[in-house]
Amino acid sequence: MSGRRRFAGFTILELLTVVLVAGIIAAVVIPATSGLEAVRLTHAVQASKEAIEHARSAAVATGRPTGAQFDPGSATITLVLVEPGAGAPVPMAGPMGTPLEPTDLASRYGTNVVSVSASEPVENAIWFRFDGAPERRTGTGRLLGELTGVAAVQLSKGSSTETLVVHGGSGLVEVVAR
């Protein structure tokens, strides 16, 4: 038998290898998860843009005033329209005739609706008339007039903010801050 004793445990080389592999994994995973915030905000902005464009298309298709109503408190978007002779706007119906569910930006993307603003009052909604031109309406659906400037919807996720702009006259919807 030799005079050397064998101890159970890890060698310094094995420990350094484990630390090196853990460092490489952390270097890859941490930046990937921090970029997730920006990706979720981008998806929320795209969903908001699509909702506004859908409201515009629906206004042209139905010939009725149609809007995308933003609720900053719950971070939701509801597609609404003004029925002839009805008072307040009602949720737009889907293909099966049932009201469309609001898009919940908070639970789906973890984002907030910071504000809906314009050069003229818009009351947290972007409205379109029968020909697709943007207009301003009260929360009860009463017509205030044509949107002549721009309307902006600002969304945020953490420290990041993006803005959608709807141009008066044309109804063009674009993302202006990335």
Side-chain angles (χ1 to χ4, degrees):
M1 187 164 175
S2 86
R4 294 174 54 187
R5 291 181 69 189
R6 184 91 174 140
F7 292 104
F10 298 106
T11 66
I12 192 77
L13 184 59
E14 291 169 328
L15 290 173
L16 286 173
T17 303
V18 168
V19 169
L20 178 67
V21 169
I24 291 171
I25 290 172
V28 170
V29 170
I30 290 172
T33 56
S34 65
L36 185 59
E37 185 176 288
V39 170
R40 291 184 73 167
L41 179 57
T42 300
H43 286 293
V45 168
Q46 186 60 35
S48 300
K49 183 176 188 270
E50 289 171 4
I52 294 169
E53 290 171 340
H54 184 81
R56 184 172 187 250
S57 296
V60 172
T62 63
R64 295 189 202 136
T66 308
Q69 205 167 45
F70 291 82
D71 182 352
S74 64
T76 57
I77 308 168
T78 305
L79 296 176
V80 293
L81 58 87
V82 177
E83 292 283 358
V90 296
M92 192 183 306
M96 302 301 289
T98 57
L100 293 173
E101 290 293 318
T103 302
D104 190 344
L105 298 174
S107 66
R108 188 175 292 173
Y109 306 108
T111 59
N112 297 313
V113 178
V114 176
S115 66
V116 181
S117 59
S119 48
E120 306 106 338
V122 290
E123 297 198 21
N124 290 336
I126 308 295
W127 286 94
F128 297 95
R129 64 181 189 211
F130 69 93
D131 62 355
E135 60 185 12
R136 299 177 301 112
R137 289 184 173 267
T138 65
T140 61
R142 187 175 56 84
L143 180 64
L144 295 173
E146 187 176 328
L147 179 68
T148 57
V150 296
V153 178
Q154 194 174 38
L155 304 174
S156 71
K157 168 97 175 113
S159 61
S160 302
T161 301
E162 291 200 28
T163 304
L164 282 167
V165 170
V166 179
H167 295 273
S170 70
L172 174 69
V173 183
E174 63 181 344
V175 180
V176 295
R178 284 226 180 245

